[in-house]
Amino acid sequence: RQVRFGERVVVETWVDRVGTTSAALRHAVRADGVVAAEVDSVVVRYDYAAQRPAPWTDAMHEALGRHVPAPAP
């Protein structure tokens, strides 16, 4: 569905999977309750001092994991 400029949209985001240094996110963009777009993205925790990806802390991993939906029965 095409979304027109000025039209109100709602973006629903959830965590699809949590890895050691990254998390895969899914996004559903809705206009008038209808999905207009689905988007996948990946975020990486990065240590700028070391110039490399860094593992999530236990607290971060747990917090992200709370947003992973349960598998469908």
Side-chain angles (χ1 to χ4, degrees), residues 6-69:
E7 191 173 358
R8 183 174 292 253
V9 298
V10 173
V11 180
E12 179 183 4
T13 300
W14 62 97
V15 179
D16 190 46
R17 123 189 122 63
V18 181
T20 303
T21 62
S22 65
L25 307 178
R26 311 268 342 245
H27 315 273
V29 180
R30 299 177 190 275
D32 292 326
V34 177
V35 175
E38 294 176 330
V39 180
D40 294 324
S41 63
V42 175
V43 293
V44 177
R45 182 164 190 248
Y46 194 76
D47 180 337
Y48 286 93
Q51 291 292 297
R52 54 190 280 181
W56 300 112
T57 64
D58 290 342
M60 291 172 169
H61 203 278
E62 182 181 329
L64 287 165
R66 286 195 298 264
H67 299 282
V68 177

